[in-house]
């Protein structure tokens, strides 16, 4: 946002010098990215009036006869906008332009050009180089040096945050400066001489959610031409290109007040205006000459045509070529409206069409500004052209009420760590346009409708800090005592960080993937079908919120297929019927690599070992019970029970998915968080020795280890401390289809040494239970 210093001075006559203003703007959060100094036009550049313009045969050039005061000179120009009856900036021979070019008389296509007609860029007063600076023929007396009426300009380039929509205008910046520096703010004139006029156009708003206010005004008796020199000087300094007096008045008002406007040629919309949603497949050619295809989510301004309507503008973004103001326009309908920010943003992004208008509407424009903005436009246009202004105002929607926000000065001081007086805080808010009522805390504050970012008490606290000065906020850390309802609020974060530390300590590489995914890819990897979709995705193929973490990890695995170490994990959110936080890991090779010994940890035992390490750290009991899961191999698939509660799945990736992604064997798990942890209690180290026994159980091949483990734990007695599977054997002398599961059993009494007889009795109960279950003990 470029803000000319002279424009600010118009609203704040007592404004300090530019460098002092820069410091104040920075302190207000309106960061000054740069200060630009625009020089006067060079010496030797004078005002000239084009008396005659003739084409030079066989070229795109024109021979001009230009009155420059005491003489009429001949110039040659190829600018598209040059014609008789306009004023120009003429560089006479000997003038030195800002780029170092010295102007001299020279012959062009057989015609002697006695100088040079200049564009704003060539003059050094703006960036536009696509045509000549076009001024009214009576702007100055011919031959007058432009430097006499075109002073140097200082321009603040502001880097504004999106929440400060009101600051995208000169008046918005001036309001903040007035409040901070306690200056008198001079509001721009809205005076208009109105004439009696019939109702000039009808307006129907079919989509009030997209447009909650639409105001139309009339101006007639127009002569389309260049806007005054002073207006063009302001527009060029702000970075805008002057076009004609009507369009320049809309841009001038937008930059000054912050409300985008649009002017239609009345002849093109006289049958009536309709604000509606676009129709599927509907097309419109915008002012830039590009044909745009619309979708029903877009909002359009349409004109009545017979029994139907056709678009004349994409609401809040850009007008259409079929109703633009031209040299033939004599009457205009001014549009001053308020559009839904989300609709404007989505349309502008989808069309790749960011304009000054959409930039403001999508950040939030004051819904009560249209009447003032329309009056300001008409004031300027009448002053510039002497046009007739109708006294009829078509206003659909009307004013919107102010919000009410409670405010406690004491709370503001606690939050800021300051000691501002209550009266000073309330006065600061009133300086910003807020209405304050009440005799004691909480006061009721009604922010102005142009401050769309002031919605909660903390927003008001921030404003107090901005205006009274952040320099009063202490730099030392505050001694904060959390409120009772905040105690333990950090527990989920600490829990997740602890899981990350364990996974990293086990050799895992943490991955942070996007939360959106392709529905086709989710289907390929056998993930649950997506429930939520983006209306305007960054990538049209990835328009769904993910329903599992492992598909993204598989992409990472595939992208790193040449790496030796391929153990990745992610902790993030998935979106099913409800949003869940999950932890997932994939293993596509050995857990650890070593140069001097074989790789350690491969396949299912390795990934299950990671799971058990997580449980050990949490003091939890984890078990895997065989159960099929859609993304997993039918024979290597299980449900993870964490403290006897199902929390996720573990196993090998389904062979079809491995083949489709061209991956080797992949093992993975995915768990729903939080994972309950045992409370940490101190226990003395054991004082008495353990008693250990080994037991081998012969079972059919399809009997899972966990079934035998449950039997041992159930009948092992109160002194059974641990059970560990240490061997699985198949082969002679076991029959085909049989396997032997061998366990270490550890017994310990907390207060004395167990006798062999006591341990033998416990073992006999376990053996009896196993035999009764139909299995046998291996000798």
């Amino acid at each position: 946002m470029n803000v000319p210093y002279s424009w600010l001075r118009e609203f704040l006559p007592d404004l300090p010098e530019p460098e002092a203003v820069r410091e104040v703007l920075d302190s207000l959060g309106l960061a000054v990215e740069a200060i630009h100094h625009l020089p006067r036009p060079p010496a030797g550049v004078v005002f000239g009036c084009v008396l005659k313009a003739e084409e030079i045969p066989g070229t795109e050039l024109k021979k001009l006869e230009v009155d420059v005061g005491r003489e009429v000179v001949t110039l040659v120009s190829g600018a598209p906008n040059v014609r008789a009856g306009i004023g120009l900036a003429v560089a006479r021979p000997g003038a030195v332009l800002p780029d170092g070019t010295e102007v001299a008389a020279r012959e062009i296509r057989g015609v002697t050009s006695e100088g040079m007609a200049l564009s704003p860029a060539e003059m050094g007063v703006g960036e536009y180089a696509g045509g000549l600076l076009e001024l009214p023929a009576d702007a100055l007396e011919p031959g007058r040096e432009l430097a006499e009426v075109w002073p140097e300009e200082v321009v603040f380039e502001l880097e504004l945050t999106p929440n400060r929509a009101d600051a995208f205008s000169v008046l918005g910046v001036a309001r903040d400066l007035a409040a901070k520096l306690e200056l008198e703010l001079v509001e721009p004139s809205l005076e208009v001489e109105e004439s009696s006029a019939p109702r000039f156009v009808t307006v129907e708003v079919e989509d009030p959610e997209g447009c909650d206010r639409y105001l139309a005004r009339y101006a007639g008796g127009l002569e389309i031409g260049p806007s005054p020199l002073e207006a063009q000087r302001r527009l060029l300094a702000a970075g805008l290109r002057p076009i004609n007096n009507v369009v320049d008045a809309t841009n001038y008002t937008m930059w000054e007040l912050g409300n985008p406007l649009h002017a239609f040629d009345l002849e093109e919309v006289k049958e009536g205006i309709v604000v509606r949603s676009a129709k599927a497949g509907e097309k419109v050619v915008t002012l830039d000459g590009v044909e745009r295809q619309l979708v029903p989510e877009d909002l359009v301004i349409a004109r009545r045509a017979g029994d139907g309507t056709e678009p004349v503008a994409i609401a809040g973004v850009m007008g259409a070529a079929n109703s633009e103001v031209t040299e033939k326009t004599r009457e205009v309908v001014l549009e001053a409206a308020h559009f839904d920010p989300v609709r404007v943003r989505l349309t502008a992004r989808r069309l790749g069409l960011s304009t000054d208008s959409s930039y403001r509407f999508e950040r939030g424009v004051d819904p009560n500004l249209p009447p003032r903005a329309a009056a300001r436009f008409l004031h300027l246009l009448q002053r510039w052209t002497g046009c007739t202004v109708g006294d009829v105002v078509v206003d659909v929607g009307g004013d919107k009420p102010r919000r009410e926000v409670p405010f406690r000065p004491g709370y503001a001081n606690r939050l800021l760590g300051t000691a501002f007086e209550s009266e000073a805080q309330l006065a600061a808010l009133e300086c910003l346009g807020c209405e304050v009522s009440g005799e004691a805390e909480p006061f009721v504050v009604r922010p102005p409708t142009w401050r769309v970012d002031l919605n909660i008490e903390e927003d008001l606290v921030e404003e107090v800090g901005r205006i009274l000065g952040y320099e009063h906020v202490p730099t030392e850390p505050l001694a904060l005592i959390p409120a009772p309802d905040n105690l333990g609020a950090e527990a989920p974060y600490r829990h997740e960080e602890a899981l990350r530390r364990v996974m990293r300590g086990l050799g895992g590489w943490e991955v942070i993937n996007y939360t959106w995914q392709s529905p086709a890819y989710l289907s390929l990897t056998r993930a649950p079908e997506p429930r939520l979709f983006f209306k305007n995705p960054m990538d049209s193929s990835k328009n769904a919120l993910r329903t599992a973490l492992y598909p993204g990890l598989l992409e990472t695995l595939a992208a790193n297929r040449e790496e030796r170490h391929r153990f990745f994990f992610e902790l993030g959110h998935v979106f099913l019927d409800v949003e869940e936080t999950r932890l997932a890991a994939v293993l596509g090779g050995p857990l650890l690599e070593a140069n001097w010994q074989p790789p350690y940890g491969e396949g299912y035992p390795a990934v299950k070992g990671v799971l058990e390490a997580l449980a050990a750290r949490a003091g939890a009991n984890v078990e895997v019970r065989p159960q099929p899961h859609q993304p997993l191999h039918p024979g290597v698939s299980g449900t993870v029970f964490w403290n006897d509660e199902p929390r996720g799945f573990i196993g090998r990736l389904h062979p079809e998915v491995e083949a489709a992604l061209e991956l080797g064997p992949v093992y993975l798990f995915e768990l729903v968080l939080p994972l309950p942890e045992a409370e940490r209690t101190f226990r003395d180290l054991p004082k008495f020795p353990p008693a250990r026994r080994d037991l081998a159980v012969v079972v059919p091949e399809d009997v899972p280890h966990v079934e035998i483990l449950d039997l041992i734990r159930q009948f092992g007695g109160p002194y059974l401390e641990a059970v560990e599977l240490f061997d699985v054997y198949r082969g002679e002398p076991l029959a085909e289809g049989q396997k032997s599961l061998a366990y270490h059993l550890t017994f310990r009494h907390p207060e004395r040494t167990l006798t062999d007889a006591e341990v033998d009795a416990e073992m006999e109960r376990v053996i009896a239970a196993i035999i009764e279950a139909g299995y046998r003990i291996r000798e």
Side-chain angles (χ1 to χ4, degrees):
M1 171 74 182
N2 292 331
V3 181
Y5 175 76
S6 65
W7 211 337
L8 283 174
R9 282 288 297 270
E10 188 171 302
F11 299 139
L12 302 169
D14 298 325
L15 195 66
E17 292 303 305
E19 283 301 326
V21 172
R22 176 178 191 161
E23 293 182 10
V24 178
L25 289 172
D26 285 336
S27 73
L28 286 166
L30 307 178
V32 179
E33 188 76 9
I35 294 183
H36 303 286
H37 295 270
L38 303 181
R40 297 172 181 267
V45 175
V46 302
F47 177 77
C49 183
V50 181
L51 303 177
K52 191 175 182 181
E54 297 177 342
E55 292 185 359
I56 300 177
T59 73
E60 295 182 356
L61 304 175
K62 290 183 180 179
K63 173 185 174 182
L64 311 179
E65 292 183 8
V66 182
D67 180 4
V68 292
R70 296 180 179 180
E71 60 181 320
V72 175
V73 299
T74 300
L75 301 178
V76 176
S77 175
N81 62 328
V82 67
R83 62 190 185 279
I86 64 171
L88 297 177
V90 180
R92 300 305 310 277
V96 179
L97 303 183
D99 65 357
T101 301
E102 182 175 350
V103 178
R106 60 195 180 106
E107 187 173 310
I108 302 174
R109 295 299 180 98
V111 178
T112 300
S113 183
E114 302 173 76
M116 181 177 177
L118 302 178
S119 70
E122 290 166 332
M123 286 177 63
V125 297
E127 297 180 356
Y128 179 62
L132 301 181
L133 177 68
E134 184 179 330
L135 298 170
D138 58 353
L140 297 169
E141 60 273 19
R144 186 172 182 182
E145 290 270 343
L146 283 179
E148 297 177 10
V149 294
W150 198 305
E152 295 179 357
E153 181 67 271
V154 175
V155 179
F156 299 104
E157 182 183 342
L158 303 184
E159 186 68 28
L160 302 176
T161 52
N163 65 304
R164 287 303 309 276
D166 65 298
F168 285 90
S169 66
V170 179
L171 179 59
V173 175
R175 283 195 188 108
D176 267 19
L177 289 170
K180 183 72 173 180
L181 299 174
E182 298 181 0
L183 300 176
E184 181 181 356
L185 179 67
V186 178
E187 295 276 354
S189 175
L190 307 178
E191 292 183 6
V192 177
E193 184 179 338
E194 298 178 344
S195 302
S196 178
R199 190 175 182 87
F200 56 96
V201 71
T202 61
V203 175
E204 181 182 356
V205 178
E206 293 182 354
D207 190 342
E209 291 185 359
C211 175
D212 59 6
R213 186 168 198 177
Y214 193 96
L215 183 142
R217 294 292 303 267
Y218 167 85
L222 288 166
E223 190 69 38
I224 305 300
S227 51
L229 183 148
E230 176 65 19
Q232 294 199 42
R233 186 177 75 82
R234 286 270 174 85
L235 292 173
L236 286 166
L240 300 173
R241 175 171 73 93
I243 298 174
N244 60 50
N245 44 24
V246 173
V247 176
D248 290 354
T250 63
N251 287 334
Y252 193 102
T253 304
M254 174 186 68
W255 216 261
E256 187 175 64
L257 303 185
N259 198 144
L261 304 172
H262 188 71
F264 299 103
D265 188 325
L266 176 60
E267 187 63 28
E268 302 298 334
V269 298
K270 62 184 179 182
E271 298 300 322
I273 291 174
V274 178
V275 184
R276 60 170 173 81
S277 297
K279 301 172 184 176
E282 195 166 31
K283 297 179 180 180
V284 60
V285 177
T286 47
L287 288 171
D288 56 2
V290 178
E291 184 178 73
R292 316 275 181 179
Q293 183 160 328
L294 307 176
V295 297
E297 288 75 22
D298 299 329
L299 187 72
V300 299
I301 313 302
R303 65 182 176 190
R304 295 194 180 279
D307 295 332
T309 61
E310 63 174 322
V312 290
I314 303 174
V317 181
M318 184 179 283
N322 58 7
S323 60
E324 68 177 316
V325 173
T326 68
E327 293 180 358
K328 298 179 180 179
T329 299
R330 294 295 175 263
E331 299 175 293
V332 297
V333 174
L334 175 71
E335 167 193 286
H338 182 258
F339 301 115
D340 176 48
V342 175
R343 293 276 289 276
V344 173
R345 180 170 64 252
L346 293 177
T347 295
R349 183 175 297 176
R350 186 184 62 78
L351 295 175
L353 189 60
S354 180
T355 62
D356 288 324
S357 176
S358 67
Y359 198 77
R360 285 160 174 77
F361 274 125
E362 65 188 36
R363 282 160 176 76
V365 172
D366 180 3
N368 292 345
L369 184 54
R372 296 181 62 237
R376 179 59 175 168
F377 165 86
L378 294 170
H379 168 84
L380 293 172
L381 196 62
Q382 195 169 65
R383 195 179 78 188
W384 296 352
T385 69
C387 67
T388 301
V389 174
D391 59 357
V392 176
V393 179
V394 180
D395 189 355
V396 180
D399 281 349
K400 304 298 182 284
R402 294 188 179 211
R403 298 176 298 280
E404 293 189 352
V405 182
F407 177 70
R408 297 163 293 167
Y411 174 70
N413 278 329
R414 290 196 300 276
L415 204 60
L416 295 171
T418 53
F420 296 136
E421 295 291 336
S422 295
E423 292 77 7
Q425 295 189 40
L426 299 177
L429 294 175
E430 289 175 335
C431 285
L432 292 171
C434 296
E435 295 175 353
V436 180
S437 61
E439 300 298 328
E441 293 189 2
F443 296 92
V444 176
V445 175
R446 298 176 183 84
T449 52
W450 65 75
R451 289 301 302 271
V452 296
D453 58 321
L454 302 185
N455 297 293
I456 59 176
E457 187 174 17
E458 286 74 14
D459 294 334
L460 301 178
V461 172
E462 182 181 4
E463 294 305 293
V464 167
R466 281 198 322 121
I467 301 304
L468 297 186
Y470 285 130
E471 65 272 15
H472 299 292
V473 177
T475 56
E476 65 271 12
L478 298 177
L480 296 177
I481 300 176
D485 55 350
N486 287 336
L487 292 174
E490 80 287 354
Y493 168 79
R494 294 183 182 277
H495 175 66
E496 292 172 8
E497 283 303 300
L499 291 175
R500 288 188 173 98
R501 284 196 298 271
V502 174
M503 293 298 294
R504 289 193 291 262
L506 292 169
W509 290 88
E510 184 173 6
V511 175
I512 301 176
N513 284 311
Y514 291 119
T515 56
W516 51 88
Q517 189 55 268
S518 162
Y521 183 74
L522 291 174
S523 176
L524 174 67
T525 55
R526 295 174 168 249
E529 291 185 4
R531 274 72 158 175
L532 300 173
F533 297 86
F534 290 107
K535 287 185 177 180
N536 190 31
M538 295 177 64
D539 182 344
S540 60
S541 67
K542 295 184 177 182
N543 64 340
L545 285 175
R546 65 187 178 187
T547 54
L549 296 181
Y550 75 86
L553 290 173
L554 294 178
E555 282 188 303
T556 304
L557 201 62
N560 293 273
R561 65 177 77 247
E562 301 301 324
E563 296 293 328
R564 297 175 64 193
H565 182 75
R566 295 196 297 156
F567 175 34
F568 302 104
F569 76 92
E570 181 174 8
L571 196 156
H573 298 273
V574 301
F575 305 86
L576 296 159
D577 295 328
V578 295
E579 183 177 348
E580 294 179 349
T581 305
R582 292 188 178 186
L583 171 67
V586 297
L587 179 64
L591 198 59
L592 296 174
E593 289 282 354
N595 294 326
W596 49 275
Q597 66 180 22
Y600 169 77
E602 293 187 87
Y604 177 76
V607 77
K608 185 170 182 289
V610 171
L611 193 62
E612 290 170 343
L614 287 173
R617 179 250 159 224
N621 173 50
V622 66
E623 291 181 8
V624 177
R625 300 183 184 275
Q627 188 172 349
H629 288 272
Q630 185 72 11
L632 300 180
H633 190 297
V636 191
S637 173
T639 298
V640 177
F641 283 80
W642 190 279
N643 287 347
D644 297 323
E645 182 182 348
R647 281 286 172 170
F649 55 83
I650 185 173
R652 178 177 172 179
L653 187 63
H654 197 285
E656 292 180 358
V657 181
E658 290 179 348
L661 300 180
E662 298 181 356
L663 297 170
V666 176
Y667 296 86
L668 60 94
F669 67 76
E670 185 157 331
L671 307 175
V672 178
L673 303 184
L675 299 173
E677 299 184 7
E679 289 192 15
R680 301 293 179 175
T681 57
F682 176 77
R683 290 191 306 172
D684 284 329
L685 292 174
K687 297 179 180 180
F688 301 96
R692 294 186 174 92
R693 297 287 189 276
D694 289 345
L695 179 67
V697 184
V698 179
V699 299
E701 184 64 49
D702 60 353
V703 173
H705 142 70
V706 70
E707 188 172 320
I708 305 303
L709 187 64
D710 286 343
L711 284 171
I712 295 174
R713 287 174 174 170
Q714 183 179 353
F715 294 95
Y719 307 130
L720 179 64
E721 185 178 73
V723 182
E724 179 184 358
L725 176 69
F726 70 89
D727 183 55
V728 179
Y729 175 77
R730 298 175 181 85
E732 297 292 340
L734 300 180
E736 187 175 348
Q738 298 282 309
K739 64 183 177 182
S740 170
L741 304 176
Y743 298 89
H744 290 311
L745 281 70
T746 303
F747 298 87
R748 193 196 306 266
H749 196 289
E751 297 178 354
R752 59 181 175 81
T753 302
L754 288 170
T755 65
D756 286 343
E758 289 173 319
V759 176
D760 290 342
E762 301 290 353
M763 286 296 295
E764 287 175 3
R765 275 202 303 273
V766 170
I767 291 171
I770 290 173
I771 294 172
E772 186 176 347
Y775 311 123
R776 67 184 179 87
I777 305 301
R778 183 181 174 192
E779 300 298 335

Tab-separated table of all heavy atoms in Angstrom, residues 447-461:
chain	number	residue	atom	x	y	z
A	447	PRO	N	-16.975	-0.878	18.650
A	447	PRO	CA	-15.981	-0.465	17.658
A	447	PRO	C	-16.663	0.062	16.402
A	447	PRO	O	-17.783	-0.336	16.062
A	447	PRO	CB	-15.215	-1.765	17.360
A	447	PRO	CG	-15.514	-2.671	18.506
A	447	PRO	CD	-16.897	-2.310	18.946
A	448	PRO	N	-16.001	0.948	15.674
A	448	PRO	CA	-16.572	1.430	14.408
A	448	PRO	C	-16.636	0.298	13.395
A	448	PRO	O	-15.834	-0.642	13.444
A	448	PRO	CB	-15.575	2.516	13.974
A	448	PRO	CG	-14.285	2.136	14.636
A	448	PRO	CD	-14.665	1.521	15.940
A	449	THR	N	-17.567	0.395	12.486
A	449	THR	CA	-17.742	-0.698	11.523
A	449	THR	C	-16.581	-0.807	10.558
A	449	THR	O	-16.433	-1.841	9.899
A	449	THR	CB	-19.054	-0.506	10.737
A	449	THR	OG1	-19.086	0.824	10.190
A	449	THR	CG2	-20.256	-0.717	11.631
A	450	TRP	N	-15.733	0.236	10.459
A	450	TRP	CA	-14.570	0.098	9.579
A	450	TRP	C	-13.473	-0.756	10.210
A	450	TRP	O	-12.571	-1.192	9.523
A	450	TRP	CB	-14.030	1.466	9.172
A	450	TRP	CG	-13.468	2.318	10.284
A	450	TRP	CD1	-12.277	2.164	10.935
A	450	TRP	CD2	-14.081	3.489	10.849
A	450	TRP	NE1	-12.104	3.149	11.878
A	450	TRP	CE2	-13.188	3.985	11.836
A	450	TRP	CE3	-15.266	4.173	10.606
A	450	TRP	CZ2	-13.480	5.128	12.593
A	450	TRP	CZ3	-15.540	5.299	11.356
A	450	TRP	CH2	-14.665	5.758	12.329
A	451	ARG	N	-13.564	-1.036	11.530
A	451	ARG	CA	-12.584	-1.904	12.179
A	451	ARG	C	-13.169	-3.313	12.297
A	451	ARG	O	-13.662	-3.725	13.349
A	451	ARG	CB	-12.190	-1.351	13.548
A	451	ARG	CG	-11.349	-0.109	13.506
A	451	ARG	CD	-10.045	-0.303	12.747
A	451	ARG	NE	-9.226	-1.359	13.290
A	451	ARG	CZ	-8.324	-1.176	14.259
A	451	ARG	NH1	-8.131	0.037	14.766
A	451	ARG	NH2	-7.604	-2.191	14.687
A	452	VAL	N	-13.114	-4.051	11.206
A	452	VAL	CA	-13.684	-5.403	11.180
A	452	VAL	C	-12.869	-6.378	12.010
A	452	VAL	O	-13.284	-7.513	12.243
A	452	VAL	CB	-13.784	-5.923	9.726
A	452	VAL	CG1	-14.739	-5.075	8.924
A	452	VAL	CG2	-12.408	-5.972	9.068
A	453	ASP	N	-11.689	-5.955	12.492
A	453	ASP	CA	-10.816	-6.854	13.259
A	453	ASP	C	-11.027	-6.745	14.757
A	453	ASP	O	-10.392	-7.484	15.524
A	453	ASP	CB	-9.351	-6.543	12.937
A	453	ASP	CG	-8.980	-5.089	13.229
A	453	ASP	OD1	-9.809	-4.203	12.955
A	453	ASP	OD2	-7.866	-4.855	13.741
A	454	LEU	N	-11.893	-5.858	15.221
A	454	LEU	CA	-12.112	-5.694	16.659
A	454	LEU	C	-13.373	-6.454	17.063
A	454	LEU	O	-14.490	-5.951	16.948
A	454	LEU	CB	-12.234	-4.213	17.018
A	454	LEU	CG	-11.045	-3.321	16.638
A	454	LEU	CD1	-11.252	-1.911	17.150
A	454	LEU	CD2	-9.741	-3.898	17.160
A	455	ASN	N	-13.173	-7.675	17.561
A	455	ASN	CA	-14.315	-8.543	17.854
A	455	ASN	C	-14.345	-9.056	19.283
A	455	ASN	O	-15.403	-9.430	19.777
A	455	ASN	CB	-14.302	-9.751	16.899
A	455	ASN	CG	-14.453	-9.344	15.454
A	455	ASN	OD1	-15.503	-8.859	15.046
A	455	ASN	ND2	-13.399	-9.524	14.668
A	456	ILE	N	-13.202	-9.124	19.957
A	456	ILE	CA	-13.138	-9.653	21.318
A	456	ILE	C	-12.338	-8.688	22.187
A	456	ILE	O	-11.685	-7.769	21.690
A	456	ILE	CB	-12.499	-11.059	21.359
A	456	ILE	CG1	-11.076	-11.027	20.784
A	456	ILE	CG2	-13.356	-12.061	20.609
A	456	ILE	CD1	-10.360	-12.366	20.877
A	457	GLU	N	-12.378	-8.909	23.486
A	457	GLU	CA	-11.732	-7.986	24.421
A	457	GLU	C	-10.233	-7.871	24.162
A	457	GLU	O	-9.658	-6.777	24.254
A	457	GLU	CB	-11.981	-8.448	25.856
A	457	GLU	CG	-11.495	-7.460	26.898
A	457	GLU	CD	-11.876	-7.870	28.310
A	457	GLU	OE1	-12.232	-9.056	28.507
A	457	GLU	OE2	-11.808	-7.023	29.215
A	458	GLU	N	-9.586	-8.985	23.822
A	458	GLU	CA	-8.148	-8.946	23.573
A	458	GLU	C	-7.792	-8.062	22.392
A	458	GLU	O	-6.702	-7.470	22.355
A	458	GLU	CB	-7.617	-10.365	23.360
A	458	GLU	CG	-7.512	-11.210	24.612
A	458	GLU	CD	-8.865	-11.694	25.130
A	458	GLU	OE1	-9.860	-11.595	24.384
A	458	GLU	OE2	-8.925	-12.186	26.259
A	459	ASP	N	-8.699	-7.954	21.406
A	459	ASP	CA	-8.463	-7.039	20.283
A	459	ASP	C	-8.391	-5.593	20.777
A	459	ASP	O	-7.560	-4.800	20.324
A	459	ASP	CB	-9.582	-7.166	19.245
A	459	ASP	CG	-9.596	-8.521	18.561
A	459	ASP	OD1	-8.528	-9.155	18.492
A	459	ASP	OD2	-10.667	-8.940	18.096
A	460	LEU	N	-9.273	-5.256	21.727
A	460	LEU	CA	-9.268	-3.903	22.281
A	460	LEU	C	-8.025	-3.658	23.117
A	460	LEU	O	-7.464	-2.552	23.108
A	460	LEU	CB	-10.529	-3.683	23.117
A	460	LEU	CG	-11.866	-3.852	22.388
A	460	LEU	CD1	-13.024	-3.643	23.347
A	460	LEU	CD2	-11.969	-2.875	21.222
A	461	VAL	N	-7.578	-4.679	23.838
A	461	VAL	CA	-6.345	-4.552	24.628
A	461	VAL	C	-5.166	-4.234	23.700
A	461	VAL	O	-4.323	-3.394	24.008
A	461	VAL	CB	-6.079	-5.841	25.429
A	461	VAL	CG1	-4.709	-5.788	26.096
A	461	VAL	CG2	-7.170	-6.058	26.475
